[in-house]
Amino acid sequence: MKKAVETLTREEAAAELAFLAEQIALNDIAYHQKDAPLISDADYDALKRRNDAIEERFPDLRRSDSPSLKVGAATADGFEKVVHTVPMLSLGNLFSEEDVFDFMAKIRRFLGLPDNAEIEMVAEPKIDGLSFSAVYEDGHLTVAATRGDGAVGENITANLKTIKDLPNPLNEISENLFDAPVHHIEVRGEVYMSKTDFLALNQMQATAGKKTFANPRNAAAGSLRQLDAAITATRPLKLFAYAVGAVDVEPWQTHAAFLEKLKSWGFPVNPLIRVCKNEAEMLSFYRDMIERRSSLDYDIDGVVYKVNRLDLQRRLGFIARSPRWAVAHKFPAQQAVTRLKRIRIQVGRTGALTPVADLEPVNVGGVLVSHATLHNADELVRKDIREGDTVVIQRAGDVIPQVVRVLTDKRPTGAIPFVFPDACPACGARAVREGDDAVIYCTGSLTCPAQVVEGLKHFVSKNALDIEGLGEKNIELFYRLGWLCSSKDIFSLEKNHAFDILQLEGWGQKSASNLFEAIARVAAGTDLDRFIYALGIREVGEATARVLAHHFGTWAAFETAMKKENARDQLLEIESVGPVMADYIADFFAEPHNQALLQELCSAVVVRPFISDTGRSLPLAGKTIVFTGTLTEMTRAEAKALALAAGAKVASSVSAKTSFVVAGAAAGSKLKTAENLNIPVVSEADFHQMLDSTQKTSYDDKKTYRKTI
Ligand code: IVH
């Protein structure tokens, strides 16, 4: 007879979790790969439930190979999924030297440091490969994964193990006497293929009549993501390690020291990495990398700057999906000259009319470009861009190519200035300029097919509801066929059009059921912040959606608040919501058409509350805080970020809903209001104490990063 979970000791729990991980994995293999189940479904479910219950009581004992981290087991045509304990975030981009100064100024401001304060930065080449995460337990690789969507990746353990560069076990696991030993660490880095190996591989592929790869990055991705790891083993893959994910202890104080530790464990660390004292050194590293770029045997597409001190990294934290303490400085755009055939007007989801240039296709730094954005009507006039012109275009990274200037001496005779239409080209509604806005908008709103289609594309896009298999082409097609007229139709697509979809060219049972499964997964549970972002409310980007989700906590609370007379005022109470944004949000909810749509959407989709899925209570969860006066130990921005990370809401004015006020020096009217309303007032030091439990960077704390703002 098994002991009740409540009575298990830590040791017993750890031993049983190890046993369960092994048993469940064995059953998974028997069931999914051998089609020969060993136990009944009910018994299998009981094992999983027991595992979950023990993990809930001892969250820090959750193993990296825990069955609860696996979403669905490996199937014949796909990789097993791995949930990243600490999400794999992306980096913000800088494009100019001025951007680098601004980035550093922001860091100083956030930390409350003087303008000339020295902040050591580590500068690294930005490797153009694909990122990996590799979890080590006591020096042995247990699970490796791709980045995937940042939250869930693919299990590539067998594939990564074939790369000779990867140390396994780690070289030196007995640590320096003064260091705390690291038992659990997730090392992150980039897998790449050298330029030489890429050329040789392509030659071999061509000789064997097999498909060749467009560039080393694609070759690395195609080689790593092979279901049969034996194929990966034959491919010349290499890697560089450069970051840490989940870790139980961090006995190093700087990123540079961590890189040294990686080297001593046996990881390849890029030899060009340098510590820089100031902007001048960062920029000289950057220029040096541009010069060396072509002579390196691997592709780099920029450099990455990282704050060296980990204590500063922790204070800086994250904004939306990128860290404040690291950034990519992209290499300059590559340019080319081509002919502009036609200027076309594209209608966006908010109705914005954007002129787009159709170009004579031209190769720009290895990518074939046939369109470029012309931004807006004013830009067209300023640059005097005309149909038929010969133009200089440029592209940088993933950014949409742009027209830099016109070579006027090559202008054909008779070329006339472009006349911006005064009606929407998609629906014919009036096109108007709002105030001094440079953008001209279509006034057709939901009667404009282009706005509807763009809205649908946004709704299913990666950072919104992320419905795989419903790409732009399919949205356009399903809309044309009348199967998708609004976002709610997505959730009845299977019921109403399963048969029709199967009749379409290129669709089979497999692709159709993949699509329906992806839709069903989203319907079964989607994050509140994603859901709010997906609605496509003007001015509400990812970061704002996150702030709103955080503030209201649940969809019901948000919707109820937005239906009230004072919706706008409630929004204005949120620190980062300004009057324009508040108007757009309140207007969205006031629109009867949107109310009807939301009602239908919410009966089809389960929207998860914002914080509860982190599985632990944050120290300031449910509290609404107001800051006033001058803080001495940190800046207002930092205090606010810390409060949000600790689960609190930050309001701009004191009301009966305020839980407490943090008062710094020379606090004024807000302090008075708090006293009048009998709202508790705490000092900056008290506030620090309340936060203390979020300051650690233990393995467990890092799990909440996705939810930090
Ligand atoms: S650090 C939280 N360092 O660039 C920061 N990333 O645009 C984690 N990359 O997804 C990333 N070289 O795949 C870092 N030296 C380097 C890198 C690097 C390449 C890639 C990585 C990341 C992407 C972000």
Side-chain angles (χ1 to χ4, degrees), residues 595-627:
Q595 288 169 3
L597 173 71
L598 288 174
Q599 200 171 3
E600 294 207 47
L601 272 181
C602 290
S603 64
V605 182
V606 176
V607 184
R608 287 190 286 254
F610 187 62
I611 294 178
S612 67
D613 67 344
T614 59
R616 61 184 218 126
S617 56
L618 295 163
L620 297 181
K623 303 272 186 261
T624 301
I625 306 180
V626 174
F627 289 99

Side-chain angles (χ1 to χ4, degrees), residues 186-395:
E186 181 190 350
V187 174
R188 292 176 176 177
E190 203 87 352
V191 171
Y192 67 96
M193 192 178 285
S194 76
K195 295 179 189 169
T196 318
D197 288 335
F198 159 70
L199 293 173
L201 173 67
N202 258 1
Q203 198 144 43
M204 261 168 47
Q205 293 281 106
T207 320
K210 292 190 190 151
K211 123 175 176 288
T212 56
F213 298 98
N215 52 46
R217 210 201 89 82
N218 285 357
S223 302
L224 189 64
R225 296 185 64 258
Q226 287 284 343
L227 284 171
D228 180 359
I231 302 180
T232 309
T234 68
R235 301 283 172 81
L237 293 174
K238 294 193 163 72
L239 60 87
F240 283 122
Y242 53 61
V244 62
V247 62
D248 53 358
V249 281
E250 280 184 307
W252 43 83
Q253 261 84 53
T254 62
H255 180 61
F258 167 66
L259 293 176
E260 286 307 314
K261 185 58 82 183
L262 283 177
K263 278 194 230 169
S264 73
W265 279 330
F267 287 98
V269 171
N270 192 289
L272 302 170
I273 295 177
R274 290 285 170 272
V275 176
C276 301
K277 284 203 175 52
N278 48 38
E279 285 87 340
E281 290 188 13
M282 291 158 73
L283 293 175
S284 114
F285 178 86
Y286 175 77
R287 292 183 204 120
D288 188 34
M289 287 306 114
I290 291 184
E291 262 179 38
R292 290 189 188 209
R293 186 180 187 183
S294 58
S295 62
L296 293 176
D297 197 23
Y298 47 88
D299 275 338
I300 59 174
D301 57 349
V303 306
V304 179
Y305 305 122
K306 299 174 183 172
V307 169
N308 194 20
R309 273 172 52 182
L310 298 197
D311 58 334
L312 297 186
Q313 284 192 7
R314 275 170 213 137
R315 283 177 58 189
L316 286 159
F318 296 79
I319 180 141
R321 289 174 211 278
S322 339
R324 279 198 195 86
W325 46 264
V327 75
H329 186 180
K330 293 307 217 40
F331 285 149
Q334 287 162 300
Q335 299 195 333
V337 171
T338 189
R339 203 179 70 86
L340 187 158
K341 295 190 293 190
R342 197 172 79 98
I343 296 172
R344 187 161 50 82
I345 304 292
Q346 210 170 52
V347 188
R349 81 186 144 85
T350 58
L353 302 185
T354 307
V356 176
D358 283 343
L359 307 165
E360 210 80 76
V362 61
N363 186 322
V364 193
V367 174
L368 200 65
V369 173
S370 42
H371 309 287
T373 176
L374 297 166
H375 299 290
N376 54 49
D378 294 352
E379 171 107 343
L380 269 178
V381 175
R382 196 159 42 81
K383 291 185 177 164
D384 187 20
I385 300 169
R386 305 182 187 187
E387 290 185 331
D389 271 343
T390 298
V391 291
V392 177
I393 62 156
Q394 70 174 27
R395 66 165 270 277

Side-chain angles (χ1 to χ4, degrees), residues 89-91 124-127 131 147 190 242 304 306 323 325:
L89 301 163
S90 54
L91 294 172
E124 310 183 357
K126 185 169 185 297
I127 315 297
S131 43
R147 178 172 188 276
E190 203 87 352
Y242 53 61
V304 179
K306 299 174 183 172
W325 46 264

Side-chain angles (χ1 to χ4, degrees), residues 45 141 179 295 431 536 541 564 639 703:
D45 288 342
L141 177 71
D179 283 352
S295 62
K564 294 217 170 108
K703 283 186 202 160

